[in-house]
């Protein structure tokens, strides 16, 4: 008893009307009045199940007037103890409304702080105490005193002290969009299966929401999907009316099941009993039919004449006057339905007509739920359009000599045929929940056949209900989802009905879809609790629920989500560096980064240039565990600023500053450039730290001006060079693949120099007619003449010595281009009419040749016939390795000045250099690139494996000599065994600067795909690319 | 006989989408009826038509009716009205007279107050029970009958039953009478019709060769709930066809091209649209659900319920087969196939007209008041089972002739078939065509008569003992 100095057993006072969860009213406020100063305001409550000795619920709550008690709710209502660490409370009275819940206010003495151990120790004693309490509370007094506990006030406190915090609306993690209504959903181990109106079954993976399969499964709407309990078989029923059985992994069609009974309408529901290996399906004409998968007698050939596709129908194949009959409706989609391995014809006798007096809308298989059968027997429960629920005893494939009774035997009818259709069912122990029309949910006890509770949960029909984590989730036609508290079935049957009256409150309700929700599923995947809803707005929405379980779980389990969560918040900062009005947002974005780095264990500093004009550079250091002298220091360079997003109507599908998951992609401004990759790198570091395998120091250098020319970056870095320290490798991830499939590594970037050339007259703006003459040197004319000198025929740049330093094309470099071409020229890439040579020349010109561009010419004065007093032009030069930006700058300046002199003009020339960036060329053979390559190969292993197998088969199949697009004599050219090494025509000012400044090699990992639309509307990043990038960085940070 | 159609939607529908446009709309059924094998006048239902629909409640609870005795396809006004009228609840009917004269009074639907009624079928031994039926009615309902069809008398009986159940059929309640009382009244109506036909003295049945079997496909609505039945008072015969369909949208198929037709779309599990029809309106076979024989369909809100009518004529064995022959003799077809057809889908859907006429005409009931029915000749009793074999099984590979003896020998055990018998109607002359077929088998009636009597008694008792209940 050392750990518990207060506990008690409380009973509801007779007249106490206090509602469920209103724990507050039963707490004496006076007890807390003087405790507030003594105690931390936040305490943690852990609810323990005495039966299983495990923490079933834990929550933080705050003590004091009107502060919230979060989510404190018994998991198993009969077996509850609430334990509180001692240093917090001496008296906390919790008054569960109706049950004798045992409450222990535990004192752990703060000795070891492990509540779990304490509880284990305490449990036995506690049980003894309960016994005592029960004995001593035999009188009908409403409260019982124990030990030194003060009496619970008989009248509840007039104001609440502990309030139930509102349940938060789940986070919409991802939307999966399709073309037609989603009628049914099931969720497997790692995939979501959806059945649609146009007869397709769609399969997405749960991890990254990538589409896995898309199968034309039926001719018409798929009405129901059912996954066998061992998840080895997937059943689908439709309005065909056919039942199909699929392998959920491969989506091979294992069985096709049809019935010879004519015109029985849509098959609304299907269920499978593994025990009997029998499929049951319920149809529109009130029947339930069944067939045993293993019954050899039911097998027929694939072209059986009694198949609905072939058998004759009195009406539909009848002839009109003149002898023609209406042809069967066809559709090209029908040909896509895969051929089944086995066809089963349902026995005519295996048909329970009038199973309900309405459509058989829903079915499920359960066992041990009712005392009317043996616990291990499978029971089929069906819900009908007539409003009744029936339980059926199953007889497997046996059919009695007199026909039909053995296969399906009615053992229970719940409800009257009041036409309030049962649309959905869910079982929890012996409790059966049924979702009905007009938003009604009914709760039945399968042991007593009693209706325990009716809940009006929604405005529209309840189309789907699920049990998950002790809550009841209902989804309705009105598009809303509700979460309700439940009274889990316990062992004290007599008390359930009493308790039930206090349960089933709606805890939270949210609008999940614009259309009607038709289906839902719950699952725990990768320790995330997900609610998935499908609706007739053609969307499947995946909702991440705030964890229902203990937050005590190890932090590593929460990481996968944290990356997305952090990215979501990161994207929400409008860090547009080019616009003054967003300056504050940029600062806030930087602060966010600072606190995030700090939270994850980094050592953070904000680096600002002296002028304070520029957004700060965020510097974060994560220390490795290797001895300091052997420790490598790896720098990750990125930028937190983004380009503006044009939010004018209709341009963006979603708010660009709100991360939106859709069909496996994350949408938002900056998600690909460059916020997503920063998060991938950051969480790669976190992963390594948690695995205790981070050897090197990782230095994050995240600037805030990249999109506006990295102004002030150099100065800031130079200023803080000491602080940053020595660097061994530089990594960045700020570009995209060449296409959408092939992983790439970027090893080269062009440099850039932006300049403004201005010619000024000493005169003001003049009238061209009044003042214009050959005596007047016009600034614009001078400027045009100058600009014209810069480029010659074939766009050759006329600066002297401009092309001198450019590196020649080496054989190994050319081989890389051939690799790229082999990928780009593949079939189906839509390179209409462009030959490989053109494409290659195009790439060479963009990536390894310099160019000069005239951007814009501006003149003074209004429009009209006048001579501007000054004119300026913006020009830029893209530079390639071998060219030095300073040399080109001075060459350009002197060239223009010389040419201007030749004009002999009395105007004034000025040249202003706006931005400069050195070209960068990495060495693909270097250690850093080889490490990156290994990492990419490892992360994208499935891609490379698939490709090589593909290539082997195609090269074997192709008998024709290689076409001109392939390198002659090299049959394996299309085979790709490493990422593509690419260069880019664009520039990142910082990369070469950092290389030079820290004398460390840099490497560049493109994270996104070509279709990412960076800088454009609907910028996005594939979830898969994000997680793979994280893997790659993890590997690289570890190996370098 | 007739074809009917019922529409119930959560939204209004333009009548033309039901009556005019679909491939096999009720208008087309009026001249190309596929499930009617009565070829006396081809496949026509040309003796008038009627539509009834409920309008805005502001205009009152009673339906709007439009009936005409001209063939539906000739009625320009029908086209005009149908393409500009929308309603949530529509009854439509095309008629081929079997009973009653060709006047607008005899056109379905019939109505009283907010109630509307249609019938497809016929009452067994009508002329022998008409007086008894009348006697059963309150004066109010007896005097209310305007026309001279058995269908309207059945409606009168229904109204009478409804009143006896404590409801005033004329009251036009705002929310309707509720499906339960309508269903009870309907079941009682059927029960009494059965009672009446059973009450025909055995001697009359015997001597006048009365067919006491009724085909009772009724539809009734109060503007809110709809009750439809598919019923035959026989354990071995099929009822006349009845299909239903439900879904979320009744629209033209999106696929362009010539086969553009209406189809029932399923965007969810709901039933925003419910259609009930004697024949499917389209050839989308997956859309149409067979209403089981001897069952009662209730549409309330947008929920469809199907209850079996359990009485002496029901059978719950899923393998139980009923014969289509009786319905066919009435110029109707049942939904079910008599035997699975083994051969190709191109097989003839119906018997050759010649064969058909040969078999069917002799058993068209006499004295049914059919004004324009051709005179027919008595050929003694034609075996029902024989006509089944000859008419519906003619498409099967089984040679009907080889089956006959076996079927005939099974006859006595066929429970309560009340075989229709004909009396020689003096003044009626044989149709000239009939004389050319001397090979039509005439069963030896004296031999079979006693056993049939026995069957009849059993069936009558059974029906009375069991009564009718849901």
């Amino acid at each position: 008893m050392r750990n518990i100095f207060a506990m008690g057993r409380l009973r509801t006072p007779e007249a106490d009307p206090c509602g469920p969860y209103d724990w507050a009213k039963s707490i004496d406020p006076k007890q807390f009045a003087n405790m507030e100063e003594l105690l931390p305001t936040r305490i943690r409550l852990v609810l323990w199940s005495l039966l299983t000795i495990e923490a079933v619920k834990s929550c933080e709550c705050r003590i004091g007037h009107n502060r919230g008690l979060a989510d404190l709710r018994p998991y198993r209502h009969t077996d509850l103890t609430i334990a509180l660490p001692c240093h917090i409370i001496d008296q906390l009275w919790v008054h569960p409304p109706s049950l004798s819940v045992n409450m222990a206010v535990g004192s752990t003495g703060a000795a070891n702080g492990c509540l779990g151990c304490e509880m284990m120790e305490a449990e036995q004693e506690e049980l003894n105490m309960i016994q005592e309490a029960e004995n001593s509370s035999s009188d009908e007094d409403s409260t019982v005193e124990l030990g030194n506990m003060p009496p619970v006030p008989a009248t509840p406190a007039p104001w609440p002290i502990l309030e139930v915090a509102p349940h938060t609306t789940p986070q919409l993690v991802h939307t999966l969009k399709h073309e037609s209504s989603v009628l049914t959903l099931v969720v497997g181990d790692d995939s979501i299966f959806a059945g649609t109106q146009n007869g397709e079954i769609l399969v997405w993976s749960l991890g990254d929401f990538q589409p896995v399969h898309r199968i034309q499964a039926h001719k018409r709407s798929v009405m129901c999907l059912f996954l066998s309990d061992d998840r080895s078989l997937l059943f689908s029923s439709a309005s065909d009316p056919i039942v199909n059985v699929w392998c959920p992994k491969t989506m091979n069609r294992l069985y096709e099941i049809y019935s010879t009974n004519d015109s029985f309408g849509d098959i609304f529901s299907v269920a499978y009993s593994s025990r009997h290996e029998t499929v049951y399906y319920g149809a529109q004409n009130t029947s339930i039919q069944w067939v045993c998968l293993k019954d050899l007698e039911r097998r027929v050939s694939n072209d059986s004449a009694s198949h609905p596709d072939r058998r004759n129908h009195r009406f539909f194949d009848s002839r009109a006057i003149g002898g023609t009959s209406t042809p069967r409706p066809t559709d090209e989609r029908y040909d896509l339905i895969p051929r089944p391995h086995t066809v089963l014809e349902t026995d005519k006798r295996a048909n329970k007509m009038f199973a309900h007096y309405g459509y058989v809308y829903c079915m499920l298989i359960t066992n041990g739920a009712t005392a009317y059968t043996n616990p291990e027997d499978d029971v089929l429960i069906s819900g009908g359009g007539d409003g009744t629920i029936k339980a059926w005893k199953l007889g497997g494939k046996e059919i009695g000599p007199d026909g039909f009774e053995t296969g399906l035997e009615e053992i229970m009818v719940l409800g009257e045929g009041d036409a309030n259709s049962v649309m959905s069912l869910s079982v929890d122990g012996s409790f059966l929940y049924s979702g009905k029309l007009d938003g009604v949910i009914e709760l039945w006890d399968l042991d007593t056949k009693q209706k325990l509770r009716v809940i009006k949960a929604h405005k529209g029909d309840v189309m789907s209900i699920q049990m998950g984590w002790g809550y009841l989730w209902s989804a309705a036609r009105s598009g809303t989802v509700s979460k309700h508290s439940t009274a889990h079935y316990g062992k004290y049957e007599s008390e359930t009905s009493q308790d039930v009256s206090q349960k089933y409150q709606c805890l939270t309700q949210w609008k999940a879809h614009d259309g009607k929700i038709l289906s839902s599923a719950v699952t725990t995947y990768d320790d995330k609790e997900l609610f998935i809803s499908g609706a007739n707005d053609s969307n499947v929405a995946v909702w991440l629920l705030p964890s229902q379980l203990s937050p005590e779980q190890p932090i590593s389990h929460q990481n996968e989500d944290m990356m997305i969560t952090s990215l979501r918040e990161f994207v929400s900062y409008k860090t547009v560096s080019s616009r003054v009005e967003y300056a504050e947002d940029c600062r806030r974005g930087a602060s966010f980064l600072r606190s995030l780095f700090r939270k994850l264990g980094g050592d953070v500093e904000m680096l600002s240039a002296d002028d304070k004009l520029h957004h700060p550079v965020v510097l974060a250091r994560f220390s490795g565990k290797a001895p300091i002298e052997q420790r490598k220091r790896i720098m990750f360079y990125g930028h937190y600023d983004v380009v503006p997003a044009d939010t004018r109507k209709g341009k963006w599908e979603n708010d660009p500053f709100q991360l939106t998951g859709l069909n496996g992609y994350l949408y938002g401004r900056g998600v690909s450039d460059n916020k997503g990759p920063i998060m991938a790198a950051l969480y790669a570091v976190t992963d390594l730290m948690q695995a205790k395998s981070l050897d090197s120091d990782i230095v994050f250098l995240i600037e805030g001006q990249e999109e506006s020319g990295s102004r002030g970056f150099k100065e800031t870095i130079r200023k803080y060079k000491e602080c940053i320290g020595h660097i061994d490798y530089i990594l960045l991830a700020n570009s995209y693949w060449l296409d959408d499939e092939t992983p790439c590594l970027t090893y080269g970037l062009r440099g850039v120099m932006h300049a403004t050339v201005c010619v000024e007259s000493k005169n003001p703006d003049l009238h061209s007619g009044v003042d214009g003459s050959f005596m007047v040197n016009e600034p614009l004319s001078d400027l045009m003449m100058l600009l014209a000198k810069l480029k010659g025929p074939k766009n050759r740049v006329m600066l002297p010595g401009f092309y001198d330093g450019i590196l020649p094309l080496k054989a190994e470099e050319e081989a890389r281009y051939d690799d790229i071409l082999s990928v780009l020229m593949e079939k189906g890439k839509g390179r209409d009419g462009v030959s490989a040579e053109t494409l290659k020349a195009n790439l060479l010109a963009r990536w390894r040749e310099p160019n000069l561009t005239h951007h814009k010419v501006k003149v003074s004065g209004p429009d009209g016939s006048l001579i501007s007093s000054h004119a300026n032009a913006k020009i830029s030069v893209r530079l390639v390795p071998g060219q030095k930006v300073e040399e080109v700058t001075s060459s350009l300046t002197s060239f223009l000045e010389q040419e201007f002199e030749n004009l002999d003009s009395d105007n004034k020339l000025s040249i202003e250099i706006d931005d400069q960036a050195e070209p960068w060329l990495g060495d693909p053979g270097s250690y850093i690139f080889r490490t990156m390559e290994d990492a990419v190969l490892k992360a994208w292993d499935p891609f490379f494996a698939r490709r090589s197998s593909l290539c082997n088969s195609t090269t074997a199949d192709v008998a024709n000599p290689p076409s001109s697009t392939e390198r002659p004599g090299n049959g394996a050219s299309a085979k790709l065994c490493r990422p593509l090494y690419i260069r880019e025509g664009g520039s990142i000012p910082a990369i070469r600067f950092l290389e030079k400044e820290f004398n460390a090699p840099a490497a560049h990992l493109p994270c996104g795909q070509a279709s990412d639309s960076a800088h454009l509307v609907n910028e996005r990043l594939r979830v898969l690319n994000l997680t793979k990038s994280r893997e790659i960085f993890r590997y690289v940070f570890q190996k370098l | 006989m007739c074809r009917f159609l019922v529409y119930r939607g959560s939204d209004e529908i333009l009548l033309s989408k039901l009556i005019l446009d679909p491939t096999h709309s009720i208008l087309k059924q009026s001249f190309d009826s596929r499930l009617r094998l009565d070829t006396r006048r081809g496949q026509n239902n040309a003796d008038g038509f009627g539509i009834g629909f409920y309008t805005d409640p502001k205009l009152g609870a009673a339906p709007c009716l439009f009936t005409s005795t001209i063939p539906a396809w000739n009625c320009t006004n029908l086209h005009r009205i149908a393409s500009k009228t929308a309603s949530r609840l529509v009854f439509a009917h095309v008629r081929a007279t079997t009973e009653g004269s060709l006047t607008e009074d005899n056109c379905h639907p019939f109505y009283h107050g907010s109630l509307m009624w249609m019938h497809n079928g016929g009452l067994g031994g009508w002329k022998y029970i008409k007086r008894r039926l009348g006697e059963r009615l309150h004066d109010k309902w007896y005097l209310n009958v305007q026309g001279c069809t058995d269908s309207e008398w059945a409606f009168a009986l229904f109204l009478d039953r409804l009143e006896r159940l404590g409801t005033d059929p004329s009251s036009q309640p705002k929310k309707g009478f509720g499906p339960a009382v309508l269903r009870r009244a309907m079941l009682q109506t059927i029960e009494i019709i059965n009672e009446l036909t059973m009450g025909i003295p055995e001697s009359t049945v015997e001597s006048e060769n009365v067919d006491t079997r009724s085909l009772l496909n009724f539809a009734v609505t109060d503007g809110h709930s709809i009750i439809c039945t598919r019923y035959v008072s026989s354990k071995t015969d099929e009822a006349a066809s009845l299909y239903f369909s439900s879904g979320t949208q009744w629209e033209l198929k999106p696929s362009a091209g010539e086969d553009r037709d209406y189809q029932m779309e399923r965007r969810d599990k709901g039933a925003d649209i419910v259609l009930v029809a004697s024949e499917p309106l389209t050839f989308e076979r997956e859309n149409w659900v067979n209403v089981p024989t001897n069952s009662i369909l209730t549409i309330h809100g947008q929920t469809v319920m199907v209850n079996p009518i359990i009485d002496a004529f029901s059978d719950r064995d899923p393998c139980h087969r009923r014969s289509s022959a009786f319905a066919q003799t009435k110029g109707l077809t049942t939904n079910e196939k008599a035997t699975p057809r083994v051969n190709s889908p191109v097989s003839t859907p119906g018997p050759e007209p010649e064969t058909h006429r040969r078999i069917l005409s002799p058993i068209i009931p006499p004295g049914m008041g059919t004004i324009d029915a051709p005179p027919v000749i008595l050929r003694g009793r034609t075996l029902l089972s024989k006509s089944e074999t000859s008419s519906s099984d003619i498409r099967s590979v089984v040679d009907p002739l080889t089956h006959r003896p076996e079927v005939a020998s099974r006859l006595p055990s066929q429970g309560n078939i009340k075989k229709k018998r004909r009396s020689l109607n003096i003044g009626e002359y044989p149709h000239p065509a009939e004389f050319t077929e001397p090979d039509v088998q005439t069963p030896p009636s004296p031999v079979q008569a006693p056993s049939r009597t026995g069957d009849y008694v059993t069936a009558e008792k059974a029906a009375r003992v069991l009564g009718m209940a849901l």
Side-chain angles (χ1 to χ4, degrees), chain B residues 219-443:
Chain B
V220 70
T221 179
D222 58 358
H224 298 270
S225 311
I226 300 165
I227 310 288
C228 297
T229 59
R230 181 178 181 220
Y231 186 82
V232 61
S233 56
S234 158
K235 194 159 182 163
T236 47
D237 297 298
E238 268 297 351
S241 64
L242 193 65
Y243 288 85
F244 75 102
S245 178
S246 75
T248 51
Q249 262 179 323
W250 177 251
E251 284 301 337
L252 279 174
K253 257 193 289 191
S255 65
E258 293 201 354
D259 63 337
R260 245 169 95 83
D261 191 9
Y262 280 83
Q263 70 171 5
M264 191 64 86
E265 266 298 337
R266 272 236 165 267
R267 283 170 63 79
D268 57 57
K269 281 184 174 182
D272 294 323
I273 288 172
V274 184
L275 287 167
V276 185
S278 308
E279 282 184 30
L281 302 189
T282 64
F283 290 90
E284 297 283 330
R285 61 193 73 211
E286 293 90 357
N287 280 165
W288 294 95
V289 187
N290 190 15
V291 177
T293 285
N294 284 18
S295 60
I296 185 162
L297 193 84
T298 310
I299 306 166
H300 179 62
Q302 291 303 134
T303 305
V304 181
M305 295 211 284
V306 189
N307 292 70
I309 299 175
I310 297 172
D311 60 12
F313 306 118
S314 55
D315 198 314
R316 297 200 67 201
D317 182 349
C319 295
H320 180 72
R321 292 225 149 273
R322 287 167 180 267
S323 151
S324 315
F326 173 56
Q328 286 173 9
T329 63
K330 298 290 190 177
L332 296 166
T333 301
T334 55
N335 302 21
E336 289 79 7
K337 289 173 293 186
T339 49
R341 250 151 281 155
V342 192
N343 56 351
S344 72
V346 291
S347 68
T348 324
E352 293 301 313
E354 296 314 306
T355 326
H356 185 65
R357 164 171 299 237
R358 174 152 40 96
I359 294 151
L360 293 183
S361 5
I363 50 168
I364 286 165
M368 294 284 272
T370 313
I371 287 171
D372 49 357
V376 284
I377 185 171
L378 171 69
R379 286 183 187 280
R381 289 168 297 150
T382 307
L383 267 186
L384 182 71
S385 333
K386 191 202 86 186
S387 49
E388 172 197 13
T389 326
S390 318
S391 59
S392 72
D393 284 2
I394 199 150
R395 284 153 289 178
S396 74
V397 291
V398 186
D399 179 6
L401 288 170
T402 61
H403 258 248
R404 261 176 216 157
E406 187 200 326
V407 172
S409 66
R410 249 194 300 139
L411 242 183
S413 66
Q414 281 190 341
N416 43 13
I417 306 177
K418 269 159 283 334
K419 182 63 199 66
K420 176 219 58 164
R421 292 118 178 154
R422 318 190 38 178
S423 57
L424 178 63
N425 212 339
I426 298 163
E428 273 190 355
Y429 293 94
H431 191 281
E434 309 294 335
F435 284 112
T436 61
E437 294 154 28
D439 57 336
V440 171
Q441 230 179 9
T442 316

Side-chain angles (χ1 to χ4, degrees), chain B residues 31-229:
Chain B
F31 57 84
D32 173 20
S33 169
R34 304 288 181 92
L35 292 178
R36 247 196 75 184
L37 296 178
D38 171 13
T39 51
R40 281 171 298 172
R41 286 159 299 155
Q43 289 170 308
N44 289 352
N45 290 288
D47 300 329
F49 67 89
I51 51 175
F53 51 90
Y54 291 86
T55 55
D56 193 311
K58 278 183 290 201
L59 305 176
C64 170
L65 266 76
F66 174 64
T67 55
S68 171
T69 52
I70 58 174
W73 65 85
N74 269 343
C75 183
T76 323
N77 282 328
L78 177 64
H79 285 256
R80 290 173 181 152
I81 288 176
S83 50
K84 290 292 171 195
T85 307
S87 173
R88 288 169 203 270
L89 204 171
V90 181
F91 273 21
H93 192 278
V94 291
R95 183 159 181 247
T97 55
T98 53
E99 186 61 56
S101 57
L102 188 63
T103 73
E104 278 179 19
D105 279 344
N106 285 342
C107 283
H108 305 233
F110 303 101
Y111 85 106
H112 177 83
S114 58
L115 289 159
M116 189 152 60
W117 175 271
M118 292 192 290
H119 176 212
N120 170 21
L123 274 55
W126 170 237
K127 73 172 185 177
Y128 301 94
I129 64 166
K130 184 172 180 181
R131 182 184 293 271
R132 307 273 167 284
L133 196 154
E135 282 165 1
R136 287 236 174 181
L137 302 179
H138 194 281
D139 273 359
K140 181 178 178 189
W141 309 118
Y142 181 83
L143 297 170
N144 204 34
V145 175
Q146 308 288 317
C148 48
T149 59
D150 52 349
S151 308
E152 196 182 357
W153 282 101
F155 184 38
L157 178 59
F158 173 83
L159 293 168
D160 184 71
R161 293 322 299 180
L162 195 59
E163 191 176 52
R164 281 168 208 260
L165 285 169
T167 318
D168 176 9
S170 316
S171 60
Q172 307 193 4
K174 252 203 178 97
K175 303 226 159 176
F177 297 98
V181 68
L182 294 179
R183 196 160 56 200
R184 278 189 70 194
M186 179 67 92
L187 288 170
Q188 289 185 2
T189 306
I190 293 173
E191 190 182 347
I192 289 169
I193 293 170
N194 281 341
E195 221 177 290
L196 292 169
T197 47
M198 299 236 184
I200 305 171
E202 181 58 14
S203 55
T204 318
V205 173
E206 195 67 12
S207 61
E208 307 210 5
N209 202 6
V210 182
D211 189 345
T212 54
R213 293 169 298 177
S214 306
L215 286 168
L216 306 178
N217 287 10
F218 291 127
V220 70
T221 179
D222 58 358
H224 298 270
S225 311
I226 300 165
I227 310 288
C228 297
T229 59

Side-chain angles (χ1 to χ4, degrees), chain A residues 1016-1027:
Chain A
L1016 306 175
V1017 291
N1018 295 322
E1019 178 176 347
R1020 65 178 189 175
L1021 179 65
R1022 189 162 64 161
V1023 180
L1024 186 65
N1025 283 49
L1026 190 63
T1027 50

Side-chain angles (χ1 to χ4, degrees), chain A residues 6-28:
Chain A
M7 64 175 294
R9 184 178 193 277
L10 309 169
R11 282 232 169 112
T12 316
E14 285 281 316
D16 185 359
C18 69
Y21 319 127
D22 209 347
W23 305 68
K25 288 185 185 168
S26 57
I27 293 164
D28 183 0

Side-chain angles (χ1 to χ4, degrees), chain A residues 355-404:
Chain A
H356 286 272
Y357 297 139
Y359 305 171
V360 183
Y361 274 125
C362 48
M363 293 200 290
L364 56 82
I365 298 265
T366 180
N367 54 37
T370 167
Y372 291 84
T373 57
N374 295 327
E376 67 277 7
D377 278 353
D378 277 353
V379 176
L380 177 73
I381 299 174
S382 60
D386 55 349
T388 59
I389 299 163
K390 289 187 181 180
W392 308 88
K393 194 176 158 195
L394 306 180
K397 70 172 186 177
E398 300 152 39
I399 293 167
D402 55 338
F404 50 101

